Amino acid sequence: GYKHYKAGNKQMSRGMTKERIEKLESIGANWDGQRVSKKQTAWVKMFEELKLFKAKYGHTNVPTRYPADNPKLGRWVSTQRRAYRNYKIGNKQSIDILTEVRIQQLESIAFELVGQNKSKEHISTTQTEQK
């Protein structure tokens, strides 16, 4: 991983790239002896998927059962909103899922943390994907 990448050992860097390091650092990854967890990496990946969804549809209201290339995206979005609600009422377990940095990142792409009812656009997105 990271140490091999920084040492210039590309063969042992396990796919670590400068871009991946920057993304991990943007969500608070700490390289001082602490490993970047699979959960941190997975969060970054899903956040990138959400940005792609927004670029395609113009919003971040992913249907819970989003049937396209990444069916996990709708569940992930739902999890972020639930974690945010718990975070706001002081539930400490949600901090593992949704940190202040992650909240800021979601807000930076106009993600609606409180959710939204299914709109016509939301429903038409789902129907378009199913055809």
Side-chain angles (χ1 to χ4, degrees):
Y2 175 78
K3 289 181 183 179
H4 291 289
Y5 178 84
K6 284 297 190 180
N9 187 348
K10 303 291 184 196
Q11 192 173 27
M12 296 295 290
S13 66
R14 297 185 181 165
M16 190 62 71
T17 63
K18 181 179 179 182
E19 181 180 82
R20 181 177 267 178
I21 289 170
E22 288 171 357
K23 286 178 184 177
L24 290 167
E25 287 174 343
S26 76
I27 63 164
N30 182 346
W31 304 105
D32 299 325
Q34 295 183 8
R35 294 185 62 170
V36 175
S37 73
K38 289 182 181 181
K39 287 182 180 180
Q40 285 176 312
T41 305
W43 196 93
V44 171
K45 181 181 178 199
M46 294 306 291
F47 180 68
E48 292 301 316
E49 291 290 328
L50 179 61
K51 290 191 325 189
L52 291 172
F53 179 93
K54 182 177 182 185
K56 184 174 183 177
Y57 296 109
H59 62 84
T60 59
N61 295 316
V62 183
T64 304
R65 294 187 177 137
Y66 180 54
D69 298 337
N70 189 350
K72 293 180 181 180
L73 184 59
R75 290 189 302 273
W76 182 83
V77 164
S78 179
T79 298
Q80 302 311 300
R81 289 187 175 128
R82 185 173 46 258
Y84 181 73
R85 285 191 303 271
N86 287 333
Y87 177 84
K88 285 301 198 184
I89 62 170
N91 183 335
K92 300 298 181 200
Q93 291 176 339
S94 64
I95 292 172
D96 291 337
I97 297 170
L98 202 58
T99 63
E100 285 287 337
V101 172
R102 288 179 178 177
I103 290 170
Q104 290 171 0
Q105 284 185 288
L106 290 167
E107 289 174 340
S108 76
I109 62 167
F111 179 73
E112 296 179 32
L113 286 161
V114 294
Q116 181 175 344
N117 293 335
K118 290 187 178 183
S119 64
K120 289 180 182 175
E121 180 180 32
H122 188 117
I123 292 167
S124 67
T125 299
T126 305
Q127 291 169 347
T128 302
E129 291 295 321
Q130 290 175 346
K131 291 182 181 177

